[in-house]
Amino acid sequence: MAATTPADPATRATLEAFADTIIPGVKRSPDDRAIAGVEDDPGAVQAGALEVLADPALGLAEALDGMAGLLNMHAQNHARAGQHILDPAVPPFVALDFDTRTALVQELTDPSHPEREVWFGVALFCTMAFDSAPHLPTAEALAQGHPGLSLVGLRRPDADGLWRFPHFSYRRRLASVHPHTTATGSPA
């Protein structure tokens, strides 16, 4: 997957704020508005959520500006209904505090919401960025200290780039290697 992000700063900030609502992380700097900073460790944004969303292979890249606009429209309506005052210096979703962002995302992903599939899908891809780093080769993600892979304790491969597991997960060998299996593990 190619690592790209949306070019428009408002789109980028809005989608970062959404990703941070799904898996919160630490602020990148004191003036970071997109990341609420409710956690002390890196979250979905640092894990590459925007790179995943913007990857051409996913097919969402052309829709991200529209999705951010729709999310900001929902944020304006939510703020108006809750009598929240939004800072006009940042996109509306970014202007919401973390608890209000969370409440809005809960509404958008509720089974009764007509756009549920869209927002649930975006949330899923943000989670994938954190849990599995699909936008990076696994060894590269580990070398970079990917926050999600580090959190689950995935270790780096052996010096030759292969992963070997000296202990069987069921504490016993389940099957013998087929006699025609090649040295690279492929069936003959």
Side-chain angles (χ1 to χ4, degrees), residues 87-120:
D87 180 353
V90 294
F93 190 79
V94 176
L96 299 175
D97 64 39
F98 183 76
D99 291 337
T100 307
R101 288 179 189 177
T102 301
L104 176 54
V105 170
Q106 286 173 333
E107 285 179 25
L108 295 174
T109 56
D110 186 87
S112 65
H113 196 281
E115 298 166 11
R116 177 186 188 271
E117 289 80 13
V118 171
W119 303 115
F120 193 84

Side-chain angles (χ1 to χ4, degrees), residues 6 16 21 42 44-45 54 65-66 71 81-82 92 100 102 105 131 133 145 152 165 167:
E16 284 178 345
T21 306
V45 175
D65 288 335
L71 186 56
T100 307
T102 301
V105 170
D131 288 347
V152 299
F165 302 92
H167 305 287

Side-chain angles (χ1 to χ4, degrees), residues 178-182 185-188:
H178 190 277
H180 297 293
T181 301
T182 67
S186 297

Side-chain angles (χ1 to χ4, degrees), residues 52-171:
V52 171
L53 291 171
D55 191 287
L58 187 59
L60 291 178
E62 297 297 320
L64 295 179
D65 288 335
M67 291 168 61
L70 188 58
L71 186 56
N72 283 320
M73 180 196 72
H74 286 301
Q76 287 174 323
N77 293 339
H78 190 83
R80 194 172 8 253
Q83 298 183 349
H84 300 283
I85 297 172
L86 298 176
D87 180 353
V90 294
F93 190 79
V94 176
L96 299 175
D97 64 39
F98 183 76
D99 291 337
T100 307
R101 288 179 189 177
T102 301
L104 176 54
V105 170
Q106 286 173 333
E107 285 179 25
L108 295 174
T109 56
D110 186 87
S112 65
H113 196 281
E115 298 166 11
R116 177 186 188 271
E117 289 80 13
V118 171
W119 303 115
F120 193 84
V122 174
L124 177 65
F125 291 123
C126 292
T127 303
M128 285 174 58
F130 188 82
D131 288 347
S132 63
H135 58 297
L136 295 170
T138 304
E140 183 181 321
L142 289 169
Q144 293 176 8
H146 184 275
L149 298 181
S150 298
L151 181 68
V152 299
L154 189 61
R155 65 175 181 80
R156 292 185 176 170
D158 294 339
D160 61 1
L162 298 176
W163 275 271
R164 291 182 181 81
F165 302 92
H167 305 287
F168 300 108
S169 62
Y170 290 99
R171 306 208 192 285

